[in-house]
């Protein structure tokens, strides 16, 4: 995912990577009108820089990246789902508790009304969680250390069967103050896994429902978000139905870092995409069967769908080993959006 910075950079930017992008992908970005920066592996290169990171943790010192203890502490504080229980207090309709030990977890699962979801303190959205729908799911307890990295963790009511719309609001934070950018729609699978995100296509019909509640939440963050923090923030939430009524969960988690939604917003801005056009990112898993020929698939899809596709991350590393996921950018009309998404997903995950 480190290579997601390339599509939003300019030619004179340097992008620090653990592994260089392959020439084919780098050429692809340029052919699509992007201006990818210069790949750079660690070494004495620059004297002074303006540093942009996924999350604020480093300083640039004498040509090297160095962990800044204050920034790291601030980042851990802001991105901890345990801390965020205080951030979202009085704003979430769903009950959530801190679980600090295995013994407390056993007691909670016996006492709680299922279903519930367990979330890792520092896990990725839609990935590092475990859902317990019934007592027969007790076998999942063995996954705690592997998927949730141990304790503490957060236990929250799960309404996945009634959840029908996921959104993320994007913000710039300057000295602790929040400035709104836009809202996005997320594609989430039935188990809460993240599949993609989209922006554009006209007004969001649900925005009048959720945006005022997110603004109310922001007002209560003034004394909780340290003034030392400046950078991006994404606040994820969703809508669900309860007894025939729509309920807004204005925040399921905060991401005080570059999110994939922010990457989409930056790519869309770079391409000067018109408001009526839908832009989307799909996080596409490598097919379980067969070998993916990504460039042939992309060429075929562009012809079949009459759209332009941009592969934003490599499908495999320089040794040829496939990554678990790749990120693909597309643009289309509202009328064709469903067909485009379903066709891309099918062609990528089940290649002939």
């Amino acid at each position: 995912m480190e290579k997601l910075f390339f599509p939003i950079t300019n030619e004179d930017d340097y992008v620090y990577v653990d592994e260089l992008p392959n020439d084919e992908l780098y050429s692809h970005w340029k052919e699509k009108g992007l201006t990818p920066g210069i790949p750079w592996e660690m070494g004495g290169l620059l004297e002074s820089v303006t540093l942009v990171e996924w999350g604020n943790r480093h300083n640039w010192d004498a040509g090297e990246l160095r962990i800044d203890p204050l920034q790291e502490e601030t980042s851990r504080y802001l991105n901890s789902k345990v801390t965020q229980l205080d951030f979202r207090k009085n704003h979430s309709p769903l009950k959530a508790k801190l679980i600090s030990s295995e013994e407390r977890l056993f007691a909670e699962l016996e006492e709680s009304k299922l279903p519930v979801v367990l979330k890792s303190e520092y896990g990725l959205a839609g990935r590092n969680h475990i859902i317990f729908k019934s007592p027969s799911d007790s076998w999942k307890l063995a996954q705690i250390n592997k998927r949730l990295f141990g304790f503490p963790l957060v236990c929250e009511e799960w309404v996945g069967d009634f959840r029908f719309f996921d959104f993320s609001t994007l913000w710039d934070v300057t000295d602790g103050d929040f400035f709104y950018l836009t809202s996005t729609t997320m594609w989430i699978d039935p188990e809460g896994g993240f599949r993609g995100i989209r922006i554009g296509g006209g007004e969001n019909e649900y925005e009048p429902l959720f945006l005022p509640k997110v603004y109310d939440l922001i007002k209560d963050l003034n004394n909780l978000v340290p003034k030392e923090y400046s950078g991006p923030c994404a606040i994820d939430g969703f809508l669900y139905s309860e007894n025939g009524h729509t309920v807004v969960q204005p925040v399921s988690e905060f991401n005080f870092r570059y999110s994939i939604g922010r990457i989409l917003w930056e790519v869309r801005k770079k391409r000067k995409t018109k408001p009526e056009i839908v832009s989307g990112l799909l996080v596409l898993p490598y097919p379980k069967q067969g070998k993916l020929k990504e460039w042939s698939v992309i060429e075929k899809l562009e012809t079949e769908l009459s759209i332009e596709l941009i592969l934003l991350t490599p499908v495999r590393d320089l040794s040829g080993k496939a990554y678990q996921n790749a990120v693909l950018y597309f643009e289309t009309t509202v009328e064709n959006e469903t067909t485009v998404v379903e066709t891309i997903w099918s062609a990528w995950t089940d290649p002939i």
Side-chain angles (χ1 to χ4, degrees):
M1 289 299 181
E2 64 178 10
K3 297 178 180 65
L4 278 174
F5 267 130
F6 281 104
I8 66 174
T9 53
N10 297 313
E11 291 176 335
D12 55 353
D13 295 329
Y14 287 87
V15 182
Y16 170 53
V17 291
D18 291 325
E19 181 185 72
L20 299 173
N22 65 57
D23 293 339
E24 195 169 21
L25 182 59
Y26 202 79
S27 297
H28 171 71
W29 291 328
K30 288 188 172 182
E31 289 168 2
K32 293 297 185 177
L34 300 176
T35 54
I38 303 163
W40 172 64
E41 294 179 294
M42 185 59 75
L45 181 62
L46 306 172
E47 291 300 322
S48 62
V49 300
T50 299
L51 188 61
V52 178
E53 295 186 277
W54 282 106
N56 293 8
R57 296 179 61 238
H58 295 85
N59 281 330
W60 184 259
D61 182 22
E64 294 185 3
L65 286 174
R66 299 184 188 275
I67 291 286
D68 181 294
L70 178 59
Q71 288 193 154
E72 184 173 45
E73 182 181 350
T74 300
S75 179
R76 288 184 64 82
Y77 168 81
L78 289 173
N79 290 294
S80 165
K81 292 184 182 64
V82 173
T83 300
Q84 292 174 11
L85 288 177
D86 289 333
F87 291 3
R88 51 190 274 193
K89 186 166 55 179
N90 303 322
H91 291 277
S92 173
L94 300 175
K95 296 178 182 178
K97 294 182 179 180
L98 171 64
I99 305 294
S100 57
S101 67
E102 190 174 73
E103 291 76 17
R104 188 71 195 97
L105 175 59
F106 290 149
E108 187 64 35
L109 291 177
E110 286 185 1
E111 297 167 5
S112 296
K113 181 181 178 182
L114 300 179
V116 297
V117 57
L118 304 181
K119 298 180 178 180
S120 167
E121 181 177 10
Y122 293 108
L124 297 175
R127 184 177 300 177
N128 300 110
H129 70 245
I130 300 174
I131 301 167
F132 287 82
K133 294 185 178 181
S134 70
S136 64
D137 284 338
S138 59
W139 61 270
K140 295 179 181 179
L141 290 169
Q143 299 179 339
I144 296 292
N145 288 329
K146 181 178 180 180
R147 294 187 60 184
L148 305 186
F149 319 121
F151 298 88
L153 49 83
V154 172
C155 178
E156 182 180 286
E157 291 181 83
W158 175 254
V159 291
D161 292 342
F162 306 98
R163 180 170 163 172
F164 64 89
F165 181 82
D166 288 78
F167 63 87
S168 182
T169 55
L170 305 181
W171 306 78
D172 266 336
V173 185
T174 303
D175 300 327
D177 293 325
F178 285 71
F179 300 91
Y180 178 68
L181 299 178
T182 192
S183 68
T184 67
T185 303
M186 297 189 291
W187 292 299
I188 306 294
D189 68 24
E191 294 299 309
F194 181 82
R195 289 291 174 260
I197 196 163
R198 52 93 74 194
I199 296 176
E203 294 183 4
N204 187 323
E205 62 176 311
Y206 294 115
E207 195 172 84
L209 283 178
F210 65 76
L211 196 53
K213 291 185 178 293
V214 181
Y215 267 104
D216 288 341
L217 169 73
I218 293 297
K219 293 175 185 176
D220 285 349
L221 293 178
N222 285 337
N223 297 322
L224 294 172
V225 174
K227 294 297 182 182
E228 293 85 2
Y229 181 74
S230 292
C233 179
I235 303 176
D236 299 343
F238 55 85
L239 307 181
Y240 65 96
S241 58
E242 183 177 70
N243 299 323
H245 299 284
T246 295
V247 183
V248 179
Q249 165 63 303
V251 53
S252 55
E253 71 175 345
F254 298 80
N255 296 291
F256 286 91
R257 56 173 175 78
Y258 270 79
S259 64
I260 197 165
R262 180 59 181 260
I263 294 294
L264 172 58
W265 186 79
E266 297 282 0
V267 172
R268 181 179 170 89
K269 182 174 66 172
K270 197 173 186 67
R271 288 176 58 81
K272 298 180 174 60
T273 306
K274 296 179 180 179
E276 64 271 18
I277 297 298
V278 174
S279 296
L281 294 182
L282 291 173
V283 180
L284 298 163
Y286 196 85
K288 295 179 180 179
Q289 303 293 331
K291 184 176 181 180
L292 178 68
K293 298 179 180 179
E294 62 271 20
W295 300 115
S296 296
V297 171
I298 288 173
E299 183 178 359
K300 179 182 177 183
L301 285 168
E302 287 183 323
T303 301
E304 180 180 342
L305 298 171
S306 298
I307 61 172
E308 190 170 37
L309 299 173
I310 306 178
L311 184 61
L312 299 189
T313 64
V315 171
R316 52 187 61 81
D317 63 22
L318 294 183
S319 72
K321 182 180 178 181
Y323 290 115
Q324 184 177 354
N325 296 296
V327 179
L328 190 68
Y329 174 86
F330 70 86
E331 292 176 356
T332 188
T333 61
V334 174
E335 295 76 17
N336 294 332
E337 180 180 356
T338 299
T339 298
V340 165
V341 171
E342 290 178 353
T343 303
I344 292 173
W345 191 269
S346 176
W348 193 275
T349 59
D350 187 25
I352 298 175

